[in-house]
Amino acid sequence: MPIEALYIHIPFCHAKCAYCDFDSRACNGTSLERAASAYLDRLCNRLDSFGAAGAFAHVATVYIGGGTPTVLGSRLPWLVKRVREWCDPVEFTVEANPESFDAALAGELVCSGVTRVSIGVQSFVDDELRAIGRLHDAPSARAAIEAALSSGLDTSCDLMCGLPGQTLASWNHSLDVAIACAPGHVSVYPLTIEEGTPLARRAEADPTLDPDEDFQAECMELAGDRLLHAGFERYEVASYAKPGKICRHNCAYWTGASYLGIGRSAASMVAADELRMFANLFGASEPDGGAARIRLVQKDDEATRFDLECLGAREAMAEDLMLAMRMTAGAPVTLLEQARDVIGKVRVDEAIARALHQGLAAIDSVTGALQPTERGWLLGNELYGLMWDLASS
């Protein structure tokens, strides 16, 4: 299975958000210039190595994330051009934060070959933005979306629920503004407080900062209703798009496609034969004969250390079923039949029956696909757990 999606990680921000546990560091001015220059040199060497080896021959989507890629300024369009020397994706996404994105950069990105931008707005309420350490305010978020749309970029807006001080009224306001800005795509995420982050330390002293799961569920349901009424279609548990505006790159992750990650902490998921083909570039030994799929995470800038995990055929199939439960389309009949062949008909049918009985999923009357229900999405851990349990023998 050839590599279909490429992810490139940029580990720099102007400031770390209070909830963020991603691999990124805050730097500005001269320190950012020096760090970014050295990092991009190493990243492009790796890009060239994979490109020369033919790894990008079938790449359909590219996603540059972080961190905050737009802190690179004019270096970002330069990087996009370097990527496009090796592949010609149909979708090329760049993540952006409002404080480092404007009309001039949007125009440069379009000229370099970017087709889509994902803007980390999180909220259109200034007090909520300050509470999570965001650098922008609501007007600059609106301006960033307008700049992206005016440049012709497909535009996604990220929103987050369960923020400190957030109410249903303020959540409704953020939805109002997002809908009025008219992006083609909106992602809605519940806030998760990760260990070791500034927000986690604050929550230890003030438990009221812990997100209320019932409130978040109400926010997610409200977002679904509002966005559906505004012409968006939900295609994944947290993702809504106008017709033709889904994120193809993210769909690759959720449908079992092979993807390659370049940069520190970037993850890859490749078929065993792909690892064998590029083993020297991963610094990896030959996978054992029972491996069907390999997960790797690059651990350092030099690409000399990787975490490597081998998934057998049963584990790979269970993961495909689990990820399919994130999608509105669910698991098609072909995937269910493959799962029965690999895992066993009795085990798979028992899991399906439990999902149906608990109201976590339903069978589509036309296609026969196993599709998550709203309850299944709200109780995602239970639904995903049912599918992943099939990995065990």
Side-chain angles (χ1 to χ4, degrees), residues 309-322 339-340 342-348 350-351 354 384-393:
E309 178 186 4
C310 295
L311 279 68
R314 177 188 291 272
E315 292 173 311
M317 185 58 63
E319 183 169 76
D320 285 348
L321 289 172
M322 179 180 69
R340 291 183 177 104
V342 172
I343 297 171
K345 185 177 186 304
V346 173
R347 287 285 307 281
V348 172
E350 284 178 349
R354 289 181 63 188
Y384 306 150
L386 274 178
M387 299 299 116
W388 181 243
D389 285 347
L390 293 171
S392 61
S393 56

Side-chain angles (χ1 to χ4, degrees), residues 299-317:
K299 300 303 291 182
D300 59 18
D301 287 5
E302 302 293 343
T304 58
R305 293 190 303 115
F306 294 85
D307 281 346
L308 185 148
E309 178 186 4
C310 295
L311 279 68
R314 177 188 291 272
E315 292 173 311
M317 185 58 63

Side-chain angles (χ1 to χ4, degrees), residues 180-319:
C181 287
H185 188 284
V186 176
S187 294
V188 181
Y189 304 104
L191 171 67
T192 300
I193 296 184
E194 304 291 352
E195 286 187 27
T197 61
L199 191 55
R201 291 189 288 272
R202 285 163 48 195
E204 288 179 6
D206 181 4
T208 64
L209 296 177
D210 283 319
D212 181 274
E213 292 183 1
D214 291 337
F215 173 75
Q216 288 180 313
E218 191 172 1
C219 287
M220 295 292 282
E221 289 186 89
L222 180 60
D225 292 342
R226 296 288 314 278
L227 292 168
L228 180 65
H229 184 73
F232 292 83
E233 296 178 2
R234 191 179 197 175
Y235 70 97
E236 187 265 341
V237 61
S239 304
Y240 300 81
K242 294 286 183 68
K245 301 299 184 181
I246 66 171
C247 179
R248 294 182 54 166
H249 183 86
N250 285 343
C251 287
Y253 295 150
W254 302 322
T255 55
S258 286
Y259 56 88
L260 173 65
I262 293 181
R264 194 177 70 222
S265 293
S268 302
M269 180 72 80
V270 297
D273 57 352
E274 292 292 307
L275 180 66
R276 294 184 182 98
M277 188 179 301
F278 305 113
N280 63 314
L281 295 174
F282 284 119
S285 58
E286 292 279 319
D288 63 64
R293 189 178 295 167
I294 314 296
R295 180 184 291 113
L296 305 100
V297 178
Q298 181 178 323
K299 300 303 291 182
D300 59 18
D301 287 5
E302 302 293 343
T304 58
R305 293 190 303 115
F306 294 85
D307 281 346
L308 185 148
E309 178 186 4
C310 295
L311 279 68
R314 177 188 291 272
E315 292 173 311
M317 185 58 63
E319 183 169 76

Side-chain angles (χ1 to χ4, degrees), residues 8-10 40 43-44 47 64 69 72 74-85 92 112:
I8 296 174
H9 185 66
I10 304 299
L40 289 175
L43 189 149
C44 286
L47 182 74
I64 301 181
L72 296 179
S74 61
R75 290 178 181 271
L76 184 55
W78 172 85
L79 175 60
V80 173
K81 292 176 183 176
R82 286 294 304 270
V83 174
R84 281 197 170 272
E85 290 176 7
F92 199 128
S112 67

Side-chain angles (χ1 to χ4, degrees), residues 318-385:
E319 183 169 76
D320 285 348
L321 289 172
M322 179 180 69
L323 292 174
M325 292 301 98
R326 293 183 61 106
M327 305 286 290
T328 302
V333 170
T334 52
L335 179 59
L336 296 176
E337 288 303 317
Q338 291 170 3
R340 291 183 177 104
D341 290 340
V342 172
I343 297 171
K345 185 177 186 304
V346 173
R347 287 285 307 281
V348 172
D349 286 348
E350 284 178 349
I352 292 173
R354 289 181 63 188
L356 297 176
H357 177 71
Q358 295 175 29
L360 303 175
I363 298 293
D364 185 272
S365 60
V366 177
T367 66
L370 180 70
Q371 298 175 333
T373 61
E374 183 70 24
R375 173 179 168 81
W377 275 331
L378 292 174
L379 301 176
N381 288 341
E382 294 183 21
L383 178 57
Y384 306 150

